[in-house]
Amino acid sequence: MPEVSASEKARARRLSKALAEHYADAVCELDYTTPHELLIATILSAQSTDVGVNKATPKLFNAFPDPAAYAASTPAKIEPYIRTIGLFRNKAKSIHSAMKDIVEKFDGQVPSTMDELLTLRGVARKTAGVVLGNAFNINVGVVVDTHVERLSKRLGLCAPEDNVQRVERRLCALFPRDQLCDLSNR
C-alpha cells in the first residue's frame, strides 16, 4: 500500500464528502436482481456501454434464469441474446464457462471472495470488485474503470502516468475501506 500523508487523507475525506453530497443516489448502472445477473452484466460490460448491456440483458436473463440454465446451454445458444454487444462470441464463452464453474464448483452460488471470483473465465479484478461491492457489500478495492482512472488523475489523487493497478492502490490508501464501492459508483 502506498504511503499517503495526513493532508492527502484529509483532502480525500473532503472529496468523498462532496461526492456523497452531489451523488448521494449513485449506484451501479448495470441492471440486475441477483449476483449471477450482475456477474454476467459486468462480463458483458467490458469494452461496451452499460446502456448497451442493459438493453440486451432482459431477454438474456429471462431465457436463462439461473446459473444452471447457462451451464446446461452452450455458448452458441447464448450468443443471439448478446449479439448487439461487442466481442459477443468470446463473452458468450466466458459466461457459459463461468456459470458452469459456479454450478460445478460453488454449488450454484456466485462466490463472494476475490480469489474465488478470479478463477472464473471472463473475470478480472475490476469485474470481481463490481460484484463483491454491489452484490455482497464487500469492499476489497476500488473498481477502476476508464472514468475512475481519468478523474483520479485529473483530481491529483494519483500521478498522470499511474496504471490502473497503481491508481487502485493509491485510492485504497486514501479512502476508508467501507466507502470503496460507493466511491467507485460516485
Side-chain angles (χ1 to χ4, degrees):
M1 193 75 63
E3 289 194 30
V4 296
S5 69
S7 64
E8 289 174 311
K9 281 200 170 203
R11 181 173 179 264
R13 278 192 303 274
R14 290 190 306 273
L15 179 59
S16 181
K17 183 179 177 188
L19 287 170
E21 288 172 6
H22 291 330
Y23 303 101
D25 297 330
V27 294
C28 178
E29 293 293 321
L30 295 169
D31 295 336
Y32 68 97
T33 58
T34 65
H36 84 271
E37 287 181 356
L38 179 58
L39 175 59
I40 290 165
T42 308
I43 290 170
L44 291 173
S45 72
Q47 298 179 4
S48 299
T49 67
D50 292 350
V51 171
V53 171
N54 288 340
K55 287 180 183 176
T57 53
K59 289 181 181 176
L60 176 69
F61 295 161
N62 189 46
F64 302 95
D66 55 37
Y70 291 94
S73 187
T74 65
K77 290 180 181 175
I78 296 168
E79 285 179 11
Y81 296 96
I82 61 171
R83 192 172 302 275
T84 59
I85 297 173
L87 307 171
F88 71 93
R89 285 188 179 92
N90 282 335
K91 290 177 183 181
K93 290 175 187 172
S94 292
I95 290 167
H96 179 258
S97 176
M99 293 300 111
K100 190 172 179 188
D101 283 350
I102 286 171
V103 168
E104 294 174 0
K105 298 176 183 175
F106 300 105
D107 290 330
Q109 300 299 309
V110 174
S112 60
T113 69
M114 179 67 74
D115 289 341
E116 289 174 325
L117 282 167
L118 292 176
T119 67
L120 302 174
R121 180 174 172 165
V123 178
R125 188 164 173 85
K126 180 177 135 186
T127 296
V130 169
V131 172
L132 291 172
N134 292 284
F136 298 113
N137 198 30
I138 298 171
N139 291 286
V140 294
V142 178
V143 175
V144 181
D145 62 9
T146 303
H147 310 292
V148 170
E149 180 181 11
R150 180 177 45 84
L151 287 172
S152 297
K153 291 175 180 180
R154 184 175 289 169
L155 293 169
L157 297 171
C158 58
E161 67 275 5
D162 283 352
N163 62 23
V164 169
Q165 292 80 16
R166 284 186 177 173
V167 171
E168 181 183 11
R169 283 194 301 271
R170 180 93 173 133
L171 294 176
C172 286
L174 285 168
F175 294 92
R177 186 179 187 127
D178 65 342
Q179 296 177 10
L180 298 180
C181 181
D182 289 336
L183 178 68
S184 297
N185 289 334
R186 290 179 182 135

